């Protein structure tokens, strides 16, 4: 089988830099990381200097993701040798146990870390991940709420909580989490759009109007967000069709939905020759 | 109730959809190009979402667009499939049943198909499928013996082969389409590839 360096005609420095980029962007392209990382470690470890340790960690996690326990164990053993008392490495041991579904042992690892260092957020989050993996959503939600009381600025945790609430159909609480995220990330169009989708799902005139506003806001922040564009069309159309709105509100929403329909049509005309979208197709929504 | 036949194309696309997003719950619609009456023949499927399956806007949009495409191509929506993120849990969610109810309003013999994540590896010789049908307004587990997969060995082989050669990355679901509207959620290219690999006996119904 051809090596990565042969297939893509790259040298070890480029492979190392690619791994760094993926680390910085927090990409979860685990199969690629395993391919590149395994070759880098196998053939060029001496050249990597101190970078090798963080690469071992990155490759180990990717290997767990791809059920490559052989590779994960190799990386873990190197890290254990180099950093025998490290909490960071202990957490990786725990993650390996999680991948092998040995959750009780994994929890023991994390509890040991927390005994030593009660502020270790990584260990706490792993424990919550175990609850999620075991399908114990209510417990995961409870623990995550407790975690967020202490670590109120943890964006990743707020987003995870919003996802858990959405899966449990607790849209009100999901909306609250997304509000926190929007406050601290006012320029993130994805949070606006997700918030709008939750409001739309909750239903009722007030929520529909809020959803329309936030779909519009998401579009202001990123005018190529198709979900926001469709969302604007659908929410405005539903509001216009509601018997409870005034003539003025009806008129305004017809205008918004027509604008959105126009934008959608244009987007499809420009992008797709084989895939002509007739906006009449969307009228059944009204 | 009656028999349900699952075509190679429908099975392979569902399988590849679940494999493309192993960490997410995925869902989609089951389609039929045969006329009503007799066995339900699922001839195709449209992969829909891999995120926020229970949120309404994109689901509503997708249902409408697929409906229109079906009426233009003489197909109908006959069911719904889902594969949960948690591989050991193959029970349908509340959101799944809501969509299924909507489909059942338009089609009497609608089915819900859950992919059993724990049985999807190549060494399992049995279809990793659990099906539900509607009896007296309730969704009941369907008898395995009323579910037909013609040429199962070959279908299974095609699914594994396409996964191993990375063809699952060609699959486009509605979510991916919204990320890039030039991508085709009807998956014509993938359909062609599947047809190439299938023998005439395992072709489209």
């Amino acid at each position: 089988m051809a090596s990565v360096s042969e297939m893509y005609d790259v040298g070890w420095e480029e492979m190392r830099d690619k791994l760094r980029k993926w680390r910085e962007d927090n990409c979860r392209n685990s199969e690629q990381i395993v391919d590149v990382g395994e070759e880098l470690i196998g053939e060029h470890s001496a050249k990597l200097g101190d970078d090798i340790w963080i690469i071992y960690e990155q490759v180990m996690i990717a290997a767990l993701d791809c059920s490559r326990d052989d590779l994960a164990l190799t990386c873990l053993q190197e890290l254990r040798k180099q950093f025998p008392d490290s909490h960071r490495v202990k957490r990786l041991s725990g993650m390996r146990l999680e991948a092998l579904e040995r959750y009780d042992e994994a929890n023991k690892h994390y509890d040991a870390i927390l005994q030593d260092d009660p502020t270790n957020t990584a260990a706490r989050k792993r424990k919550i991940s175990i609850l999620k993996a075991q399908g114990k959503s209510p417990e995961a939600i409870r623990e995550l709420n407790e975690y967020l009381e202490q670590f109120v600025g943890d964006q990743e945790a707020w987003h995870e909580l919003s996802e858990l609430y959405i899966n449990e159909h607790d849209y009100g609480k999901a909306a609250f989490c997304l509000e926190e995220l929007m406050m601290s990330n006012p320029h993130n169009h994805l949070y606006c759009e997700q918030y709008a989708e939750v409001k739309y799902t909750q239903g009722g005139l007030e929520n529909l109007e809020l959803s329309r506003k936030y779909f519009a806001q998401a579009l202001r922040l990123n005018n190529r967000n198709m979900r926001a564009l469709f969302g604007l069309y659908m929410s405005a159309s539903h509001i216009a069709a509601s018997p409870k709105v005034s003539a003025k509100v009806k008129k305004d929403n017809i205008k918004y939905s027509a604008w959105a329909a126009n934008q959608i049509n244009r987007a499809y005309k420009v992008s797709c020759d084989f895939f002509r979208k007739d906006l009449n197709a969307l009228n059944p929504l009204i | 109730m009656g028999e349900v036949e699952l075509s190679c194309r429908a099975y392979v696309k569902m399988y590849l959809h679940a494999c493309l997003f192993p960490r997410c719950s995925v869902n989609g619609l089951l389609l039929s190009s045969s006329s009503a009456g007799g066995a339900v023949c699922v001839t195709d499927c449209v992969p829909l979402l891999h995120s926020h399956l229970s949120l309404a806007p994109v689901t509503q949009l997708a249902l409408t667009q697929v409906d229109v495409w079906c009426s233009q191509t003489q197909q109908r929506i006959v069911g719904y499939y889902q594969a949960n993120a948690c591989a050991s849990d193959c029970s349908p969610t509340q959101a799944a049943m809501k969509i299924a109810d909507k489909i059942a309003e338009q089609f009497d013999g609608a089915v819900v198909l859950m992919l059993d994540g724990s049985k999807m590896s190549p060494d399992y010789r049995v279809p990793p499928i659990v099906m539900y049908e509607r009896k007296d307004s309730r969704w009941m587990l369907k008898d395995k013996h009323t579910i037909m997969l013609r040429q199962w060995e070959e279908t299974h082989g095609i699914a594994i082969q396409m996964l191993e050669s990375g063809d699952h990355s060609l699959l486009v679901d509605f979510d991916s389409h919204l990320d890039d509207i030039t991508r085709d959620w009807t998956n014509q290219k993938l359909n062609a590839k599947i047809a190439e690999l299938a023998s005439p006996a395992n072709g489209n119904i």
Side-chain angles (χ1 to χ4, degrees):
Chain A
M1 230 205 82
S3 66
V4 171
S5 48
E6 282 166 16
M7 275 203 283
Y8 300 99
D9 194 23
V10 289
W12 70 270
E13 295 103 325
E14 281 147 300
M15 290 166 72
R16 175 204 59 195
D17 293 342
K18 217 38 198 219
L19 282 179
R20 182 191 303 128
K21 180 165 199 310
W22 289 332
R23 259 193 328 267
E24 286 166 4
D25 295 343
N26 206 10
C27 300
R28 196 174 170 178
N29 52 334
S30 301
E31 278 145 347
Q32 283 182 302
I33 293 173
V34 161
D35 281 342
V36 173
E38 187 169 25
E39 192 171 310
L40 202 58
I41 294 171
E43 326 238 325
H44 307 282
S45 57
K47 306 186 188 100
L48 294 169
D50 274 335
D51 270 351
I52 193 151
W53 308 114
I54 200 157
I55 289 175
Y56 273 133
E57 182 184 44
Q58 182 183 14
V59 173
M60 189 218 157
I61 295 176
L64 291 180
D65 225 7
C66 301
S67 297
R68 284 286 312 273
D69 190 49
D70 56 321
L71 180 57
L73 200 50
T74 308
C75 298
L76 185 57
Q77 280 164 344
E78 292 299 317
L79 288 166
R80 276 181 185 151
K81 260 192 297 187
Q82 183 69 8
F83 306 103
D85 297 311
S86 155
H87 279 162
R88 190 162 161 175
V89 174
K90 209 175 174 71
R91 168 200 166 221
L92 292 175
S93 296
M95 285 178 80
R96 180 175 165 264
L97 291 167
E98 283 185 62
L100 297 169
E101 294 184 90
R102 286 152 61 175
Y103 296 123
D104 290 335
E105 289 174 65
N107 265 320
K108 285 207 181 84
H109 269 70
Y110 301 136
D111 287 334
I113 298 176
L114 288 168
Q115 266 241 320
D116 235 10
D117 174 12
T119 67
N120 190 305
T121 57
R124 277 183 82 165
K125 290 205 257 193
R126 287 322 311 166
K127 284 180 67 89
I128 294 171
S129 303
I130 290 178
L131 289 170
K132 189 178 166 188
Q134 293 174 312
K136 297 179 178 165
S137 263
E139 289 95 326
I141 288 175
R142 194 187 52 228
E143 293 293 321
L144 199 40
N145 267 301
E146 271 183 41
Y147 172 86
L148 280 165
E149 275 171 32
Q150 261 193 281
F151 301 99
V152 101
D154 190 332
Q155 313 280 298
E156 181 187 65
W158 278 112
H159 198 247
E160 184 62 47
L161 188 56
S162 78
E163 299 275 323
L164 287 171
Y165 277 133
I166 288 173
N167 286 339
E168 296 296 301
H169 306 279
D170 199 338
Y171 301 120
K173 300 217 178 86
F176 177 78
C177 298
L178 287 162
E179 282 161 11
E180 288 289 323
L181 286 165
M182 287 195 292
M183 271 203 296
S184 32
N185 303 274
H187 299 294
N188 187 318
H189 65 106
L190 295 172
Y191 293 150
C192 278
E193 177 240 296
Q194 276 180 32
Y195 181 75
E197 287 195 42
V198 170
K199 284 289 150 196
Y200 183 104
T201 309
Q202 281 181 293
L205 192 55
E206 215 177 286
N207 285 324
L208 272 178
E209 291 194 310
L210 262 175
S211 93
R212 192 208 65 227
K213 291 197 174 108
Y214 279 90
F215 279 129
Q217 179 63 6
L219 276 171
R220 261 181 232 115
L221 294 168
N222 179 351
N223 61 4
R224 302 169 79 182
N225 186 328
M226 283 309 287
R227 285 187 185 79
L229 195 49
F230 274 113
L232 177 59
Y233 173 79
M234 289 162 62
S235 52
S237 303
H238 278 298
I239 296 170
S242 164
K244 301 187 198 153
V245 298
S246 70
K248 171 154 192 341
V249 170
K250 195 185 180 83
K251 191 157 158 244
D252 286 342
N253 279 282
I254 291 179
K255 228 180 20 179
Y256 302 141
S257 101
W259 178 84
N262 199 355
Q263 295 296 108
I264 293 170
N265 254 340
R266 281 176 64 192
Y268 275 101
K269 265 207 185 81
V270 164
S271 311
C272 322
D273 42 39
F274 61 85
F275 212 39
R276 265 161 281 120
K277 278 289 145 213
D278 184 355
L279 239 299
N280 289 328
L282 291 170
N283 283 339
L285 285 169
I286 302 182
Chain B
M1 268 208 156
E3 277 183 5
V4 175
E5 233 185 280
L6 197 55
S7 76
C8 176
R9 177 196 281 187
Y11 177 80
V12 172
K13 288 203 298 199
M14 275 192 291
Y15 185 87
L16 294 180
H17 190 203
C19 293
L20 183 55
F21 302 105
R23 304 157 197 135
C24 309
S25 292
V26 300
N27 68 4
L29 298 172
L30 302 173
L31 309 181
S32 175
S33 57
S34 337
S35 53
V40 175
C41 299
V42 178
T43 49
D44 201 354
C45 72
V46 175
L48 291 186
L49 308 178
H50 56 267
S51 64
H52 302 146
L53 270 61
S54 65
L55 290 183
V58 180
T59 301
Q60 276 182 15
L61 177 66
L63 276 167
T64 313
Q65 293 219 2
V66 174
D67 223 0
V68 170
W69 182 61
C70 280
S71 59
Q72 293 168 344
T73 52
Q74 284 81 50
Q75 296 181 89
R76 50 192 315 184
I77 301 176
V78 298
Y80 169 89
Y81 76 83
Q82 185 168 308
N84 290 329
C86 188
S88 53
D89 171 23
C90 60
S91 50
T93 55
Q94 211 179 72
M97 300 329 274
K98 264 188 164 170
I99 299 175
D101 282 338
K102 264 211 129 48
I103 297 172
E105 278 171 23
Q106 306 290 327
F107 180 71
D108 234 352
V111 290
V112 172
L113 191 159
M114 297 299 296
L115 277 171
D116 188 344
S118 60
K119 301 195 169 76
M120 276 178 64
S121 60
D123 25 307
Y124 269 99
R125 314 305 304 176
V126 206
I129 284 174
V130 178
M131 244 194 225
Y132 297 82
E133 62 187 352
R134 239 174 120 90
K135 272 196 180 111
D136 311 317
S137 342
R138 283 171 61 221
W139 289 94
M140 315 281 295
L141 209 50
K142 197 167 166 61
D143 177 6
K144 269 203 254 288
H145 299 104
T146 60
I147 304 168
M148 308 286 147
L149 280 112
R150 274 209 238 152
Q151 316 283 91
W152 161 244
E153 289 296 327
E154 188 187 20
T155 300
H156 183 62
I158 292 174
I160 305 296
Q161 184 184 340
M162 291 185 85
L163 175 62
E164 287 176 355
S165 46
D167 285 337
H168 55 304
S169 56
L170 294 172
L171 186 134
V172 180
D173 66 3
F174 203 80
D175 246 342
S176 310
H177 168 76
L178 289 177
D179 288 334
D180 175 1
I181 56 172
T182 60
R183 302 188 72 197
D184 168 23
W185 53 259
T186 67
N187 287 292
Q188 299 305 323
K189 285 210 178 108
L190 202 62
N191 287 346
K193 268 215 153 179
I194 297 171
E196 250 176 56
L197 294 170
S199 70
N202 198 5
N204 305 321
I205 301 170

